[in-house]
Every structure is written in structure tokens, then in C-alpha cells.
Amino acid sequence: MTMVEIERKFLVKSLPDGLQGGTPILQGYLAHDEHMEVRIRQLGDKYFLAVKEGAGPMRRETEVNISPRQFHALWPSTEGRRLEKVRSLVDHGSCRMEVDRYLGDLEPLLVAEVGFSSVEESERFEKPDYLGQEITEMEAYKNISLAIHGIPEGPALDYQVGALPFLFRGGRLHLVIVTNTAQTRWIIPKGQPEPDMSRQDVAVMEAMEEAGTIGSCLPGFRVLCRRKGEKTLYIYPLKVTTVLKKWPEMDWRKRAVLPVNKALKMISDPDLSQCILRLTSRMLA
């Protein structure tokens, strides 16, 4: 089935009164570029493959039913490009809204999509008080961006960006870890976001400055790490191509290249250690 969608998307400040239950959605992306997305979705007990074309409030969507077996056969190809949410339907005047409550790393994000029968109707729409900022044209709030990059960047003080430099020695995965500047505990390279740089570029920079490793971020992989008493940390695995003998912060930090299990034992923060374990398990799956 092919249709033209006319939709506007808003952040939700608070859930509408009486909103209960909802339908669980598991969604992953097989391919994408700036003009097209190919995704698979489990909506309750139904399964779909869809192709979306275009951007903004008007998009062309072609959707076909697939079997559970086909869905599960394709699902591994969406690794690193997945999201999970619960969808509830809300009527507002003549409009039907889909309110999505995101789960996992995207929690507590709340988003509402409002569908319209015409562009004129969409322009006349008056949003209820529980809807906040409109995000229809914001790339960072597209589902594909959320699936790959997580919740869009907020103020610089809200989070940090970390790198997990890795390489293989003797066929075994090794991690590059460093100490803090006081050399009292082992951590991973991390720092504050930069306004003119992507998170991945920040991770590359921090890995070079703090650990003396040069490489590139592994496409489609990252983990959102929430730590007690610490800022939220976005961790990106970095495939190391060069280990420098001299690097900017070598006078203040120690560096170690260790097999995963040994590296995890060295890291003192149990929350950080668990996040790294989750990420490396996905990388080796």
C-alpha cells in the first residue's frame, strides 16, 4: 500500500489525561539516506516492511505486510539502528494523534505525530496544551536519527561523549583504557560535547588526546550510559588504526591495552563497566 502522509510532529510536555495502555512497537532500519528510509516494524502482533521517501510534513510511504519469519530474518541487519516505543492513539477535534513513549536508551522521550487529510488542515491545527515544541522539520528527531544517535543533544552540561578504543590482538578483542588525570582510577576517554562537532567526531578527538589512539567510530554502534552521580555518557566504539607513542595528555594519564575481561575489572565505576559490557557484547554478536 502506497500513501502520502501529511503529518506534523511535536514534543509532548505531559501525557494527555486518561491515556492508558498502548501498542508496543519494535522498529529497525535496513537502509537510509537523506531522501529515503527502508525499515521493518513489529506493531503488536503484526509485521511490516516500509519505504519512506521525502522529508517534512509530506512524505510518501509504501508499506507491505511481512511474516514473523521474514521479520526475524531481517532483524539482525538492523543492528545499531533500532528503537522501541509504546504507541497510544488520542483524538483531538477531527485529528487523530499517535503519542509515542520511547523506551530503553530513548526514555523518557515523548513525541506526538498528528495526521491530516490536507495541507490546509495541517496549517489550521491548534495544538492542545500538553504538546510542546514542534519538531516536524528537525532531523535529530526523525526516528532513524533517534535509532542511530539517541536523544538529540541538549545543553553541553547535560551529558558527555566517550570513546571506547578497541583493537584485536591474537584474534581477541582488546580495549584501550586510561586513568583520570589524578591517576587514581581507570576510565575511558571522554569529554564535553562541542557545538560545531558531531558526537562521533568528539569521540575521535578525545580518544586521540587522552589515549593516544587514532581511528574511526564503528558505524551504527553506541550506548547511552547513565551513571549514579555522574552525567549521562554517550559511548562510541572506535576502531583503532594507530597507537601513538606520544600524545597530548601522556604526562597526566596512564594507558593500558587489555583484553575485555581484564579491562572491565580495572574500571572502578560499576555502571560504566556494565555499559561497556553491553556495547562489546553487541559488537561481538
Side-chain angles (χ1 to χ4, degrees):
M1 179 176 61
T2 301
M3 66 181 73
V4 175
E5 294 180 326
I6 303 174
E7 294 178 335
R8 293 174 66 183
K9 185 182 291 189
F10 300 85
L11 294 178
V12 177
K13 295 187 291 186
S14 60
L15 292 174
D17 292 337
L19 187 68
Q20 296 180 349
T23 303
I25 294 175
L26 196 59
Q27 188 164 302
Y29 290 83
L30 297 168
H32 67 96
D33 60 26
E34 59 182 318
H35 303 297
M36 181 180 295
E37 303 167 2
V38 182
R39 70 155 192 244
I40 54 174
R41 170 187 283 178
Q42 178 182 358
L43 178 64
D45 59 356
K46 298 181 179 179
Y47 301 83
F48 304 92
L49 184 147
V51 177
K52 282 195 170 188
E53 301 170 83
M58 292 186 65
R59 304 184 71 189
R60 185 172 182 265
E61 179 176 353
T62 302
E63 185 175 75
V64 295
N65 293 82
I66 60 175
S67 69
R69 183 176 179 180
Q70 290 171 320
F71 176 87
H72 292 298
L74 292 169
W75 186 248
S77 297
T78 67
E79 177 68 38
R81 300 180 300 279
R82 299 171 181 169
L83 57 82
E84 186 176 0
K85 56 188 177 180
V86 175
R87 171 165 292 173
S88 301
L89 301 180
V90 178
D91 290 320
H92 177 69
S94 61
C95 300
R96 170 65 63 91
M97 287 190 288
E98 298 173 341
V99 177
D100 289 339
R101 289 168 281 165
Y102 288 84
L103 305 177
D105 289 347
L106 295 174
E107 193 175 358
L109 181 63
L110 300 172
V111 172
E113 290 187 1
V114 190
F116 305 95
S117 59
S118 67
V119 173
E120 291 73 23
E121 183 184 23
S122 74
E123 292 174 346
R124 293 195 303 268
F125 176 70
E126 295 184 7
K127 67 180 183 180
D129 292 339
Y130 54 78
L131 294 187
Q133 179 184 4
E134 181 166 5
I135 54 175
T136 305
E137 303 285 353
M138 297 178 65
E139 293 290 326
Y141 281 100
K142 285 186 175 182
N143 278 310
I144 179 62
S145 181
L146 293 173
I148 296 174
H149 302 298
I151 295 176
E153 300 175 3
L157 296 179
D158 288 348
Y159 69 94
Q160 290 181 307
V161 177
L164 185 65
F166 72 92
L167 47 85
F168 286 89
R169 289 182 174 175
R172 299 175 63 192
L173 178 65
H174 285 60
L175 304 181
V176 183
I177 58 175
V178 296
T179 62
N180 60 351
T181 54
Q183 299 187 10
T184 56
R185 56 194 178 93
W186 288 90
I187 58 174
I188 61 172
K190 58 184 175 65
Q192 300 295 336
E194 298 288 341
D196 299 324
M197 298 174 64
S198 69
R199 292 179 192 152
Q200 291 92 332
D201 287 343
V202 172
V204 171
M205 177 183 70
E206 296 296 339
M208 189 279 294
E209 292 181 350
E210 296 188 5
T213 55
I214 295 176
S216 58
C217 289
L218 197 64
F221 287 86
R222 59 109 179 95
V223 69
L224 179 63
C225 187
R226 295 184 173 92
R227 301 162 295 156
K228 294 178 182 178
E230 300 285 348
K231 297 174 183 176
T232 296
L233 180 65
Y234 287 89
I235 305 175
Y236 293 87
L238 181 133
K239 186 175 182 180
V240 175
T241 56
T242 304
V243 179
L244 300 173
K245 292 183 178 180
K246 295 183 179 181
W247 66 97
E249 298 189 17
M250 62 180 296
D251 292 335
W252 309 310
R253 301 180 190 272
K254 295 179 181 178
R255 177 180 69 189
V257 182
L258 300 168
V260 174
N261 291 341
K262 290 185 178 181
L264 291 175
K265 290 179 181 179
M266 295 278 284
I267 293 174
S268 57
D269 184 337
D271 294 325
L272 177 58
S273 182
Q274 284 299 311
C275 291
I276 294 172
L277 179 60
R278 280 165 43 206
L279 185 55
T280 54
S281 296
R282 285 177 50 202
M283 290 163 55
L284 294 172

